[in-house]
Amino acid sequence: MKKLILLAVIGLGIVSCTTQKNTKKMTELPKDWKHTTNIYEVNVRQYTQEGTFKAFAKEMPRLKSMGVKTLWFMPITPIAQQNKKGSMGSPYAAADYTSINPEFGTLQDFKDMVNEAHRLGFKVIIDWVANHTGWDHVWTKTHPEFYLKDPDGKFHIASGMDDIIELDYKNQEMRLAMIDAMKFWVKETNIDGFRCDLASWVEVDFWEQARPEVEKVKPLFWLGEFDELESPEYGKVFDASYSWKWMHKTADYYKKMNLFRN
C-alpha cells in the first residue's frame, strides 16, 4: 500500500512538472518583433497619384492607425528598359542593385521616408530580387560572366519570363557582389530586412552565406518566397516564408465547383 501511495505521489509530481513546463512554454511567446509582426506590401508606383516616396510618407500615419507594423516595399531599384514588359516594365527586372528608381524620387527621399517610418514605429523591409536581373542591368556590361549562358553564348532567360535573365551562383565573385549590394541598403538606409523574391530559385547555400555577412551590419528580418514543405532547408535560413500554392489550389477548387454547378 505504501508503494502504491509513493507511486501516486511520484506520478502527481511528474504531471505537475510537466504541466508547469507546458504552461511555461505557452506563456513564453517570442518577443522579437519578427515573430509577431504583420506585413503590409507597398507598391510605390500605384499607391498614390504621384507615385513617389514623399507622397507615400504622408500616408503612413493612416497605416499606423490601421495597426500595420512592417512595411514591405516592392522593388525600389531602376527598371531595365531592354525587353521590358509593356510600356512601364516590371520592377522585378532590375537595371542596378544599388540605385533608386528615379520615378520614386531620390536616395535621400527614401532615407527620409525610412527615418519617418521608424519614428512612427514601423519596421521597413525591401524586395530583393536575387535570382535574375533585367537585360540591361549594369552587370551585363561590367560583368557578363555573372550570368548563366545558353549554348549559343546568349544570356539565359528565366523560366516563363522573357524580360529577365538569370544569374550564375557558381560564380563566387558574383555572390560577393550581391552580398555587397544587400549591405549597401542596410548601411545607407537603415532598413530592417528583406523580402526575397523566388528565394528557392537561388541555391540555399548562397542565403546561408549571405545572411551572416549582411547581418554584420545589424540583425534583420528575412522573409522568403518559397514553399516550406517543398524546401525545408530554406526554412533554416529564413525567419518566415510564404508560397502561392494555396491560392492556386483554392482558385482551381472554385473553378471546378462552378463547373459542377453549371
Side-chain angles (χ1 to χ4, degrees):
M1 186 66 160
K2 288 181 180 178
K3 287 182 179 178
L4 289 173
I5 292 170
L6 181 60
L7 287 170
V9 171
I10 292 171
L12 286 170
I14 292 170
V15 170
S16 175
C17 289
T18 304
T19 304
Q20 287 177 6
K21 286 179 180 177
N22 288 340
T23 303
K24 191 175 181 182
K25 285 179 182 177
M26 289 172 68
T27 56
E28 287 183 353
L29 296 172
K31 295 180 176 63
D32 195 328
W33 68 271
K34 68 180 72 172
H35 297 297
T36 58
T37 192
N38 57 50
I39 301 170
Y40 187 94
E41 183 179 5
V42 180
N43 182 343
V44 176
R45 179 193 268 174
Q46 268 82 32
Y47 198 91
T48 64
Q49 188 172 352
E50 299 88 345
T52 64
F53 296 130
K54 285 183 177 180
F56 174 77
K58 296 174 184 176
E59 304 292 330
M60 292 195 295
R62 181 176 62 83
L63 293 175
K64 180 178 173 62
S65 69
M66 289 169 56
V68 174
K69 295 182 179 180
T70 296
L71 300 171
W72 151 26
F73 286 86
M74 289 174 60
I76 58 174
T77 49
I79 296 171
Q81 296 302 298
Q82 185 179 343
N83 299 333
K84 68 181 179 182
K85 286 186 177 294
S87 60
M88 301 178 73
S90 167
Y92 291 89
D96 186 1
Y97 278 123
T98 55
S99 296
I100 285 283
N101 184 341
E103 297 175 42
F104 302 158
T106 66
L107 180 61
Q108 189 59 52
D109 291 340
F110 182 70
K111 289 181 180 181
D112 292 342
M113 188 198 64
V114 173
N115 289 337
E116 178 61 10
H118 285 159
R119 189 189 69 78
L120 290 170
F122 291 110
K123 298 293 185 181
V124 176
I125 65 174
I126 63 172
D127 230 312
W128 196 255
V129 188
N131 178 70
H132 52 263
T133 75
W135 281 83
D136 50 354
H137 188 282
V138 293
W139 284 355
T140 62
K141 302 170 185 65
T142 60
H143 292 285
E145 71 278 10
F146 283 4
Y147 292 82
L148 291 175
K149 304 284 179 57
D150 288 333
D152 61 4
K154 293 180 181 178
F155 293 126
H156 181 71
I157 299 173
S159 177
M161 294 171 276
D162 55 11
D163 63 327
I164 51 178
I165 49 179
E166 294 195 312
L167 291 159
D168 182 4
Y169 275 85
K170 293 183 178 65
N171 187 307
Q172 296 303 311
E173 188 182 349
M174 188 280 291
R175 286 180 174 228
L176 295 177
M178 182 68 72
I179 291 169
D180 283 343
M182 297 179 84
K183 281 184 177 179
F184 168 85
W185 292 102
V186 184
K187 289 178 179 177
E188 291 295 320
T189 68
N190 197 28
I191 59 167
D192 304 293
F194 297 95
R195 176 268 180 188
C196 298
D197 181 68
L198 296 174
S200 59
W201 284 27
V202 176
E203 285 84 342
V204 70
D205 66 345
F206 167 73
W207 299 118
E208 292 168 344
Q209 175 187 1
R211 179 164 185 169
E213 283 299 315
V214 180
E215 288 196 336
K216 286 178 180 178
V217 182
K218 64 181 278 191
L220 300 167
F221 175 45
W222 297 75
L223 171 64
E225 183 188 12
F226 65 93
D227 190 316
E228 194 106 17
L229 296 177
E230 292 180 356
S231 307
E233 67 276 17
Y234 287 80
K236 296 175 182 178
V237 185
F238 287 86
D239 297 304
S241 65
Y242 71 97
S243 73
W244 299 100
K245 183 178 287 186
W246 182 85
M247 181 194 74
H248 293 308
K249 285 188 175 295
T250 303
D252 290 342
Y253 172 79
Y254 278 101
K255 285 175 184 175
K256 289 175 183 176
M257 289 298 292
N258 287 331
L259 284 175
F260 289 135
R261 286 170 185 166
N262 295 331

